[in-house]
Amino acid sequence: EMKTRPTGNTSNADWMGSLCPALTSISLSWCCLYACALCSHDSFSFWVDEQAPVGPDQKTYVKHLAAIFRFLAKKVMKKWSMTQNLTFREQLEGGIRYFDLRVSSKPGEPGHEIYFIHGLFGHKVRDGLNDINNCLNLHKKEVVFLDFNHHYAMSEEHHHYLIKMLKDVFGHKLCKIDVVEDITLNYLWENGYQVIVFYHHPSAEGCPVMWPGSKIPAPWANTTDTTKLIQFLETTLGERAQNGSFHVSQAILTPRVKTIARGLVQGLRNYLVEKNLPTIMTWVEAQKPGVDGVNIITSDFVELVDFANTVIKLNNLLIQDRPGT
């Protein structure tokens, strides 16, 4: 059974349903989600399992280190893979509406069970999806984006198992593939859709409720330098209008081997994230949504600052820019 903690900030639990009518008729690809809808990077890493094997998303040298040091290596990896501390319910109630997901089977385990991973194996995907579905049942006008962008150690049977699971859990809530510009909140509410799934694997081709990964590009800067990160975010935003898709701006600094070595004691939060948050927040606050503006913003440690409210308020700029306002 999944353990839950006391509920935190719930002020954004119904932020989509509370938007003014002028915004609910605008394509969600032009709006801002925190994802600017709202989101967090590696959203399921709250459930990292320290007793589990090292995940298949790790590089070979990391696996060798883990094999040598075993328990100590897992302690270190847990420190570095916990990119946020909120459960699913807490993230949703806080306003997050986009989830960046990595999944895997456990090699050697019988059956086709799928788990969330980020360095280490986490909990079963089914449990997380049920948590999301339970929240959506309580908040009928909220919509989530589930981006399954990394799959490890998964056969065709595993993919079919996961796709069927998504259909079984969410059923009629799954939004069918359509023209991105037509996906407004009004359209979703009229059809009873609350979940848009992006599935980055050929196994989902031909399935009307599994959106292709090409409809939600998420270019990755892969840097520890905030100046380079912001330059990259600006450049990729300038190119997004031609794609006819949703767009993820990954406001995330990526730890390198030497960064990890220097920050083992402090962990990712203290060493890399907290000292750079003010710069990243300044960039976010200066953004504008729209055809060539920010859409979905991902970040680590979403609980450290009032990221959600900052992003949600950016949507008001869409009203100011409309003719006659």
Side-chain angles (χ1 to χ4, degrees):
E1 183 180 349
M2 300 302 301
K3 294 181 180 179
T4 57
R5 297 182 296 154
T7 303
N9 175 28
T10 62
S11 61
N12 290 319
D14 293 290
W15 74 264
M16 286 180 155
S18 302
L19 289 173
C20 70
L23 288 173
T24 62
S25 60
I26 294 175
S27 171
L28 281 178
S29 66
W30 301 350
C31 293
C32 235
L33 313 180
Y34 181 50
C36 263
L38 287 192
C39 98
S40 59
H41 173 62
D42 297 318
S43 307
F44 293 83
S45 61
F46 175 81
W47 290 334
V48 167
D49 183 356
E50 201 172 299
Q51 305 303 315
V54 172
D57 60 329
Q58 293 305 295
K59 292 181 172 62
T60 303
Y61 64 81
V62 176
K63 293 178 182 178
H64 284 321
L65 284 172
I68 295 169
F69 295 106
R70 289 187 177 88
F71 182 73
L72 175 61
K74 288 184 182 179
K75 288 277 189 184
V76 169
M77 288 178 70
K78 182 173 183 180
K79 182 185 286 289
W80 279 85
S81 62
M82 292 285 284
T83 52
Q84 46 76 33
N85 289 329
L86 303 180
T87 64
F88 255 131
R89 187 188 68 186
E90 288 169 332
Q91 291 186 67
L92 288 164
E93 290 177 344
I96 291 165
R97 296 293 179 269
Y98 166 96
F99 296 97
D100 170 3
L101 310 177
R102 301 179 185 187
V103 296
S104 176
S105 69
K106 282 186 182 177
E109 182 181 83
H112 301 107
E113 203 58 66
I114 309 296
Y115 300 83
F116 298 119
I117 58 165
H118 182 53
L120 298 173
F121 283 93
H123 282 247
K124 293 178 182 178
V125 169
R126 186 180 298 275
D127 293 335
L129 299 183
N130 281 326
D131 283 355
I132 292 174
N133 191 54
N134 290 337
C135 287
L136 293 176
N137 286 336
L138 296 173
H139 306 279
K140 296 291 188 181
K141 286 195 168 185
E142 302 308 295
V143 177
V144 297
F145 292 62
L146 304 182
D147 190 1
F148 287 86
N149 51 57
H150 286 77
H151 308 83
Y152 299 96
M154 288 177 59
S155 65
E156 199 71 21
E157 288 74 21
H158 285 108
H159 283 288
H160 291 156
Y161 176 85
L162 177 54
I163 291 169
K164 183 179 185 299
M165 182 195 305
L166 287 161
K167 293 178 179 178
D168 290 345
V169 171
F170 296 118
H172 64 84
K173 292 187 181 76
L174 290 170
C175 177
K176 294 179 181 177
I177 299 170
D178 208 330
V179 178
V180 169
E181 287 78 5
D182 292 342
I183 306 300
T184 67
L185 281 174
N186 286 342
Y187 168 81
L188 296 170
W189 294 341
E190 288 166 7
N191 289 279
Y193 297 148
Q194 288 185 273
V195 182
I196 303 178
V197 174
F198 300 89
Y199 204 92
H200 299 238
H201 193 273
S203 298
E205 289 178 5
C207 180
V209 291
M210 297 289 117
W211 290 60
S214 60
K215 291 299 181 183
I216 192 159
W220 175 40
N222 192 15
T223 182
T224 57
D225 186 309
T226 51
T227 301
K228 290 180 180 178
L229 171 64
I230 289 171
Q231 288 175 345
F232 179 84
L233 292 171
E234 293 286 354
T235 300
T236 52
L237 274 178
E239 300 167 349
R240 72 161 292 222
Q242 63 199 30
N243 296 328
S245 63
F246 298 99
H247 182 89
V248 179
S249 296
Q250 297 199 59
I252 295 165
L253 295 168
T254 307
R256 305 193 188 285
V257 175
K258 64 179 180 179
T259 314
I260 295 176
R262 291 172 184 167
L264 285 181
V265 176
Q266 300 158 291
L268 178 61
R269 173 195 295 263
N270 294 334
Y271 189 76
L272 188 62
V273 178
E274 287 190 3
K275 68 177 183 179
N276 293 302
L277 264 178
T279 303
I280 293 172
M281 283 298 297
T282 298
W283 178 82
V284 171
E285 290 167 351
Q287 297 312 296
K288 292 181 68 174
V291 177
D292 56 355
V294 287
N295 180 206
I296 296 167
I297 299 177
T298 64
S299 176
D300 288 328
F301 296 112
V302 301
E303 80 277 15
L304 291 179
V305 291
D306 194 11
F307 222 123
N309 283 325
T310 300
V311 172
I312 291 170
K313 287 176 182 176
L314 292 178
N315 288 304
N316 293 330
L317 297 175
L318 284 171
I319 305 173
Q320 296 172 17
D321 289 345
R322 299 192 85 181
T325 61

